[in-house]
Amino acid sequence: MTQPAVPEVPARLVFAGGEWTEAHARVIERTPGWRRSSALTQLGLWLLAPVVFWIPPHVPWVLLVLGLGAVRALNRFREHRTLVSLRGACPKCGTGQEFGETGRMKQPHTVHCASCRWELRVDVPLSGAVT
Ligand SMILES: [Zn+2]
């Protein structure tokens, strides 16, 4: 799957004490249509239920597949924004880094500094690419 070109937008890394630094983020704003279709795609995992039923001890595998499909679908349905990349300096220790905690953005979305391990809040204005 090729990743569409997502422009980098200014963001803020905010420490609990109120200090903040400029950062650069790439964020995809998800439309309700994308979230619905992506959630339905994840529910496709349920199609494996009749297959895994034949593996002993039968019922736990079916429950696992149904639960996994439901959780993945729910997470996709709640994915209003996707953080593709984030780089910037930690407001606490000043270490510049590329943050790896990408994916579905929570409200608020937090990342951890690789150097000092403090939790940082990520603020990104609404201006990313829309899919
Ligand atoms: Zn730090």
Side-chain angles (χ1 to χ4, degrees), residues 76-129:
R76 283 298 175 94
F77 193 73
R78 296 185 310 167
E79 189 169 328
H80 295 271
R81 307 174 87 189
T82 305
L83 183 62
V84 178
S85 71
L86 176 68
R87 64 182 172 86
C90 171
K92 182 71 176 165
C93 69
T95 306
Q97 58 201 291
E98 182 93 23
F99 293 90
E101 292 145 308
T102 55
R104 179 172 63 90
M105 284 192 82
K106 299 163 200 83
Q107 290 294 339
H109 190 77
T110 57
V111 294
H112 290 87
C113 173
S115 178
C116 66
R117 301 284 178 200
W118 281 98
E119 188 176 70
L120 310 169
R121 192 182 77 231
V122 182
D123 289 340
V124 182
L126 290 170
S127 62

Side-chain angles (χ1 to χ4, degrees), residues 14-62:
V14 184
F15 179 63
E19 306 99 54
W20 60 274
T21 55
E22 285 284 331
H24 301 280
R26 292 190 305 142
V27 175
I28 301 173
E29 307 290 339
R30 299 299 189 182
T31 62
W34 180 90
R35 293 189 294 121
R36 269 192 307 271
S37 66
S38 186
L40 285 174
T41 302
Q42 296 301 317
L43 284 180
L45 200 59
W46 288 1
L47 296 175
L48 288 176
V51 176
V52 298
F53 176 76
W54 296 104
I55 303 170
H58 310 292
V59 174
W61 296 120
V62 173

